[in-house]
Amino acid sequence: MIEMRILKMMGIPFDKSKDGDIIDCIDIYKQPALDHPSLRKHVIQMKPSYNPTVEEIPTSEQSSRTVTSQIWQKKGSCPKGTIPVRRTQNKGLLSNSEEGYSKRKPSHYDPVKKPNDKETPLTLQQKNHSRAILLTEGYNYAGVKGDIKVWNPFVESDDEYSTSRIGLRSGPYYNFESVEAGWAVNPSVYGDRKTRLFVYWTADGMNRTGCFDLTCPGFVQTSSEIALGAAIYPISVFGGLPYQITLFIFKDPETSNLWLQYGEKTNIGYWPRNLFTTLSHGAECAEWGGDVYSSRLELSPHTKTAMGNGNFPDYISGNSGFFKRMRVLDISFNLKFPDWVNSYADEYNCYRAQYVGDYIEDPEFYFGGPGRNPMCP
């Protein structure tokens, strides 16, 4: 076990892990989140005020559930009182500004564009984003949870990315608030095409606020064990074990902070309620699924960036992106499968979504696609 140094200042490197990452152990009270104007006098909540319900895993799934880990953990972990922060590739240090390079591209919703399905919310019609998702709305949601199969999809260009994630959202299409967590292949943020754990938030539809991981002030990390943006290992391969991660975003009933739990036991940290106007009171929509960002969507030639593992939904063999044990936390803090769900894909010929709810013990959601193909030239 290699002993990691406690850093007095940001930017002092620890040894590289096998995947090339440099992990800094930063004093928890000197993390980037506390530079946010709304958090200057913020008192860090070290753990949730209650322990979220842990579900029993059905016997039929126990043999097929194989969780992942992070490569850097093979070298040790950060000491108590510090958090592991991945050194950004292009700047060496984290950005203290919300305008840093790791900010997600603005959404620029087109309110003139009509949904393909009259029951589909307009908020899903997002420029340069192609999604294949399962969503539920109509109630007030305090949390969202799911098991996500981990793949390493092809990403064609450095300015494109592919994610598989859970999310909560509130507000109108032009100024929504949202939090997300999952895995991503995002060369512009991480400098490579490895599959990495990510979180994301925005308070104004991605126009001026929000970013990935800890690359701008916002998300407050408390765990010394999990590094946001670090590579996930191992990755699922067809015919092999179905490696997956379990993520749970939930509202703290006392503080209204939105916590993120990893693997049903590790509370990574939280989005403080001060970041949001409506989301901290409950979400209008919960989502599971994939998202491809590219400037070459709905164009010919279409991007080849894949979603899931690049295959269309395959509920027979599981050779595609999928979610299992999908749950919402209702306003009474009951963890359950949602009362109503709807699957949706922006570009059916490029990426698809398939909900399977009949004749199985627990509903499942399959999604993905190759991008450019004979049906999506």
Side-chain angles (χ1 to χ4, degrees):
M1 183 77 67
I2 298 178
E3 181 181 358
M4 290 189 170
R5 291 169 287 175
I6 303 177
L7 304 179
K8 301 298 182 183
M9 297 176 60
M10 296 174 62
I12 301 176
F14 173 63
D15 292 339
K16 286 185 177 180
S17 64
K18 289 184 179 181
D19 60 353
D21 284 352
I22 299 175
I23 303 297
D24 294 335
C25 295
I26 294 178
D27 188 316
I28 192 171
Y29 295 102
K30 295 181 179 180
Q31 61 180 294
L34 302 182
D35 290 325
H36 192 283
S38 300
L39 303 177
R40 293 290 165 81
K41 296 182 180 180
H42 182 73
V43 177
I44 296 178
Q45 182 182 3
M46 300 306 295
K47 61 181 181 180
S49 63
Y50 87 117
N51 198 14
T53 303
V54 178
E55 295 180 275
E56 291 187 6
I57 302 171
T59 304
S60 60
E61 287 195 15
Q62 289 180 359
S63 61
S64 64
R65 284 174 51 85
T66 308
V67 298
T68 64
S69 60
Q70 294 186 320
I71 297 175
W72 75 275
Q73 293 171 333
K74 295 181 179 180
K75 285 185 171 288
S77 63
C78 286
K80 295 288 185 180
T82 69
I83 61 169
V85 178
R86 177 183 179 269
R87 182 73 61 85
T88 57
Q89 295 294 314
N90 295 338
K91 289 192 174 183
L93 293 175
L94 298 174
S95 169
N96 288 328
S97 166
E98 293 181 4
E99 303 298 327
Y101 84 100
S102 294
K103 176 183 173 184
R104 178 177 286 186
K105 315 299 187 296
S107 61
H108 295 307
Y109 279 102
D110 183 0
V112 176
K113 183 177 178 182
K114 303 298 183 182
N116 296 329
D117 185 286
K118 63 181 181 180
E119 296 182 352
T120 302
L122 188 59
T123 53
L124 298 181
Q125 304 297 310
Q126 187 175 349
K127 185 177 180 181
N128 293 340
H129 288 262
S130 187
R131 299 200 236 179
I133 63 173
L134 186 74
L135 71 141
T136 184
E137 58 182 354
Y139 297 91
N140 195 324
Y141 303 100
V144 60
K145 181 180 180 180
D147 296 340
I148 317 173
K149 191 171 185 178
V150 179
W151 296 100
N152 183 244
F154 172 74
V155 172
E156 184 175 16
S157 301
D158 287 348
D159 62 349
E160 300 177 341
Y161 62 74
S162 180
T163 70
S164 295
R165 81 292 184 277
I166 59 174
L168 294 174
R169 178 181 297 209
S170 286
Y173 69 87
Y174 54 85
N175 195 35
F176 64 88
E177 301 177 348
S178 71
V179 292
E180 299 178 8
W183 59 256
V185 178
N186 191 334
S188 66
V189 170
Y190 302 118
D192 58 29
R193 284 171 166 75
K194 294 183 175 69
T195 301
R196 298 179 176 275
L197 178 70
F198 85 95
V199 300
Y200 181 83
W201 70 275
T202 182
D204 61 359
M206 308 177 193
N207 290 306
R208 292 185 58 84
T209 64
C211 64
F212 287 91
D213 307 333
L214 303 179
T215 53
C216 76
F219 185 86
V220 177
Q221 182 160 345
T222 58
S223 172
S224 62
E225 302 174 1
I226 302 294
L228 297 173
I232 298 173
Y233 180 84
I235 303 297
S236 301
V237 294
F238 181 60
L241 292 174
Y243 293 101
Q244 62 189 40
I245 57 176
T246 300
L247 295 175
F248 185 16
I249 299 172
F250 62 95
K251 176 184 173 182
D252 189 291
E254 294 187 6
T255 64
S256 294
N257 296 328
L258 291 169
W259 278 86
L260 173 63
Q261 185 182 84
Y262 178 90
E264 298 192 286
K265 62 180 181 179
T266 302
N267 295 311
I268 298 177
Y270 60 91
W271 293 273
R273 65 180 181 183
N274 309 57
L275 297 176
F276 309 106
T277 302
T278 61
L279 194 60
S280 58
H281 299 290
E284 298 171 359
C285 177
E287 297 180 2
W288 305 259
D291 180 15
V292 166
Y293 174 86
S294 173
S295 59
R296 294 184 295 117
L297 301 172
E298 299 184 309
L299 299 174
S300 184
H302 192 279
T303 180
K304 292 182 180 179
T305 292
M307 181 189 295
N309 70 344
N311 292 327
F312 287 121
D314 181 0
Y315 69 92
I316 301 298
S317 65
N319 186 27
S320 65
F322 75 62
F323 278 83
K324 293 186 177 181
R325 291 201 308 148
M326 297 167 289
R327 300 289 186 268
V328 292
L329 192 66
D330 67 19
I331 201 63
S332 299
F333 291 89
N334 298 309
L335 190 63
K336 63 180 185 178
F337 186 80
D339 296 329
W340 173 92
V341 293
N342 184 37
S343 60
Y344 170 78
D346 283 298
E347 299 178 290
Y348 180 80
N349 290 329
C350 310
Y351 313 104
R352 296 180 185 174
Q354 185 173 19
Y355 169 68
V356 180
D358 294 331
Y359 308 112
I360 58 176
E361 183 178 356
D362 205 342
E364 301 171 353
F365 176 60
Y366 295 82
F367 65 96
R372 190 191 312 171
N373 68 84
M375 297 180 294
C376 176

